C-alpha cells in the first residue's frame, strides 16, 4: 500500500471495452462492498473477511476515485462500472485510488491500494432495480462469489 497525499485521480469516463465474456472460475474480485451515494460516489461499506481488501488498510467510508487509472467519478452506473473494472483474472493485481476524509480536521488524503484478485466470481457484475413498498426505487449491483 502506498500513500500519496494530495495526488489527483485522472479524469475521464469509462470507455467501452471489448473482451471475451468471463466464464465461471476465471475471474475474481477483491472483497469490497460499496455503497452508492445519491451523487453517484462509491464509498466502502464493508470489506469481506479473508479478502485481499481486508488487511489493506482501506477503511469504511473511503471514496473510490479510480480503478487502474480509469476514473469512476461521473459514471452513469457507478456500481456496474466499478464491478466490471475491479473484476479480472484470478491472481492478477488491480490498483484502486481512494479518497479518505478526516472528519476531525477536514483533511483529505488520496490513497492507492494494489489488491490481489482472489475471490472467484461466477458471473460479471449484475444490476437490478427494485421498488420498495413505499415506491422508492433501489439500484442494486452485485457479483456472485464462490
Amino acid at each position: 500500500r502506498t500513500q500519496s497525499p494530495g495526488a489527483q485521480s485522472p479524469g475521464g469516463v469509462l470507455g467501452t471495452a471489448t473482451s471475451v465474456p468471463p466464464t465461471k472460475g476465471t475471474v475474481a474480485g477483491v472483497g469490497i462492498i460499496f455503497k452508492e451515494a445519491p451523487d453517484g460516489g462509491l464509498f466502502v461499506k464493508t470489506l469481506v473477511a479473508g479478502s485481499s481488501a481486508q488487511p489493506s488498510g482501506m477503511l469504511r467510508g473511503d471514496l473510490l476515485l479510480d480503478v487502474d487509472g480509469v476514473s469512476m467519478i461521473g459514471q452513469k452506473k457507478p456500481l456496474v462500472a466499478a464491478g466490471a473494472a475491479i473484476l479480472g483474472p484470478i491472481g492478477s493485481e488491480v490498483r484502486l485510488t481512494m479518497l479518505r476524509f478526516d472528519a476531525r480536521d477536514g483533511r483529505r488524503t488520496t490513497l492507492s491500494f494494489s489488491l490481489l484478485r482472489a475471490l472467484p466470481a461466477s458471473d460479471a457484475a449484475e444490476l437490478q432495480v427494485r421498488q420498495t413498498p413505499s415506491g422508492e426505487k433501489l439500484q442494486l449491483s452485485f457479483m456472485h462469489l464462490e
Side-chain angles (χ1 to χ4, degrees):
R1 178 179 126 217
T2 59
Q3 287 189 10
S4 50
Q8 294 200 353
S9 168
V13 231
L14 186 64
T16 305
T18 329
S19 63
V20 176
T23 56
K24 185 173 181 171
T26 63
V27 295
V30 296
I32 303 170
I33 298 172
F34 291 100
K35 177 179 174 69
E36 184 177 352
D39 67 359
L42 296 179
F43 291 88
V44 173
K45 180 179 179 182
T46 307
L47 301 173
V48 175
S51 69
S52 63
Q54 186 185 28
S56 70
M58 198 176 291
L59 298 176
R60 182 175 185 201
D62 286 350
L63 171 67
L64 179 65
L65 296 177
D66 69 57
V67 178
D68 283 336
V70 178
S71 177
M72 293 293 116
I73 305 298
Q75 295 290 330
K76 287 186 180 180
K77 295 180 180 177
L79 286 169
V80 173
I86 292 170
L87 279 178
I90 292 175
S92 64
E93 281 193 4
V94 62
R95 184 173 213 76
L96 278 63
T97 305
M98 311 292 286
L99 184 64
R100 182 169 295 161
F101 300 97
D102 188 333
R104 295 171 296 190
D105 61 12
R107 206 172 55 189
R108 297 173 183 204
T109 306
T110 302
L111 305 166
S112 183
F113 299 90
S114 286
L115 302 173
L116 185 66
R117 292 173 171 124
L119 290 177
S122 56
D123 285 317
E126 294 182 24
L127 176 69
Q128 290 186 2
V129 177
R130 295 188 183 162
Q131 196 165 355
T132 65
S134 65
E136 177 186 16
K137 287 186 178 179
L138 297 176
Q139 180 175 311
L140 307 171
S141 178
F142 56 91
M143 288 170 251
H144 303 282
L145 302 175
E146 296 176 342

